[in-house]
Amino acid sequence: SHPPGYWHERSNERMHYLTCFKTALLDFAVQGSIIYHGNLAHILLNEVPFVLRVRVNAPLVNRVKPLMEERGISKEAAIEKIKDMDYKRRLWTQFLYDAEIIDPIFFDLVLNLERITIDDAIEMVVTEVAKEAFQPTRESLKAVKDLHLVSIAKTYLMRSTKTKTLDLKVEADSSTGNVIVSGSLPPDANQTREADIQTVLADAEIIKNVEVKVKFG
């Protein structure tokens, strides 16, 4: 992987990466219950109300031995490797999500495996996720499908050389497949841009109709 400086020079690629990542997560979310393991990617799903956000803290001693066995390295080398991995993860999450990976505000439940067993941790998660607050409703599922359609449309717009630099807002209705694209374009742009938007989104089969509402100047 590349250091954050690589992406700072390529902001469009960074935004495209996040949009594609969000679309991939929603591809699974619209199919039913999922479990995702990663670093703060749930921030991309902030508009989904029934996501249970869990952080698990494992003591260093629990992480060192498996790494020693996996890599065939000494205890000291394993500790340094873990510290290096944690540091790089922190840099990535700060850059990608503008957030601290350990900030408790981004989690509903924080589990410390130094104080509880894995079985107890599992029981806590199962108990919490079964509560009413984390049960999807017809309305919230519709909202997720709408968000999924918006994300798909943005992915298509950002990957095309014709539209990837345009500052556009996308709204969608998953029940009809309708997408509305709005925004302001530079004064020197012309109506060919509207046609480009229509053409790019026509490649997405899930999108049934596109309405373009752009202003020039």
Side-chain angles (χ1 to χ4, degrees), residues 12 14 25 65 179 204:
N12 286 336
R14 171 182 172 270
L25 288 174
K65 187 175 180 180
V179 169

Side-chain angles (χ1 to χ4, degrees), residues 5 15 48 73 92 150 159 194 205:
M15 289 305 300
V48 180
I73 58 179
W92 273 116
V150 167
R159 78 179 187 182
E194 295 186 46
E205 293 184 5

Side-chain angles (χ1 to χ4, degrees), residues 55-76:
R55 175 172 174 80
V56 179
N57 294 324
L60 186 61
V61 64
N62 288 16
R63 302 172 63 190
V64 168
K65 187 175 180 180
L67 188 61
M68 290 173 60
E69 295 174 350
E70 177 187 336
R71 303 284 181 91
I73 58 179
S74 66
K75 179 179 179 180
E76 293 73 19

Side-chain angles (χ1 to χ4, degrees), residues 126-141:
V126 171
T127 299
E128 196 66 25
V129 80
K131 293 181 179 179
E132 184 177 354
F134 299 107
Q135 301 309 303
T137 64
R138 180 179 298 180
E139 292 76 16
S140 62
L141 285 173

Side-chain angles (χ1 to χ4, degrees), residues 17-34:
Y17 167 82
L18 289 175
T19 301
C20 289
F21 192 7
K22 182 174 183 176
T23 303
L25 288 174
L26 289 167
D27 284 343
F28 289 101
V30 295
Q31 296 178 39
S33 300
I34 64 169

Side-chain angles (χ1 to χ4, degrees), residues 44-213:
L44 298 175
L45 302 180
N46 274 346
E47 296 165 89
V48 180
F50 50 83
V51 172
L52 176 63
R53 307 166 301 171
V54 180
R55 175 172 174 80
V56 179
N57 294 324
L60 186 61
V61 64
N62 288 16
R63 302 172 63 190
V64 168
K65 187 175 180 180
L67 188 61
M68 290 173 60
E69 295 174 350
E70 177 187 336
R71 303 284 181 91
I73 58 179
S74 66
K75 179 179 179 180
E76 293 73 19
I79 291 174
E80 287 303 313
K81 182 64 177 177
I82 290 171
K83 289 180 178 179
D84 182 60
M85 288 190 296
D86 288 349
Y87 174 71
K88 289 179 179 178
R89 285 171 182 162
R90 182 183 179 191
L91 288 183
W92 273 116
T93 53
Q94 283 178 335
F95 175 68
L96 288 177
Y97 307 112
D98 191 25
E100 282 287 349
I101 192 172
I102 61 173
D103 193 334
I105 196 173
F106 297 112
F107 302 95
D108 306 301
L109 188 62
V110 179
L111 303 172
N112 185 357
L113 297 186
E114 189 172 9
R115 298 292 301 273
I116 61 175
T117 67
I118 292 178
D119 286 342
D120 286 342
I122 292 172
E123 183 178 347
M124 289 180 184
V125 172
V126 171
T127 299
E128 196 66 25
V129 80
K131 293 181 179 179
E132 184 177 354
F134 299 107
Q135 301 309 303
T137 64
R138 180 179 298 180
E139 292 76 16
S140 62
L141 285 173
K142 169 66 163 52
V144 173
K145 291 178 181 179
D146 290 350
L147 186 62
H148 181 230
L149 188 54
V150 167
S151 192
I152 289 174
K154 286 183 177 179
T155 299
Y156 273 83
L157 291 169
M158 294 190 73
R159 78 179 187 182
S160 171
T161 56
K162 297 178 180 180
T163 55
K164 69 178 183 179
T165 60
L166 302 180
D167 185 15
L168 301 171
K169 178 183 178 182
V170 180
E171 301 171 82
D173 184 347
S174 59
S175 62
T176 61
N178 292 338
V179 169
I180 299 175
V181 180
S182 58
S184 297
L185 300 182
D188 57 344
N190 54 52
Q191 293 189 348
T192 302
R193 292 290 195 176
E194 295 186 46
D196 288 341
I197 293 171
Q198 292 279 0
T199 300
V200 169
L201 294 182
D203 290 336
E205 293 184 5
I206 194 173
I207 298 175
K208 305 304 179 184
N209 181 63
V210 177
E211 183 180 354
V212 181
K213 298 179 178 180

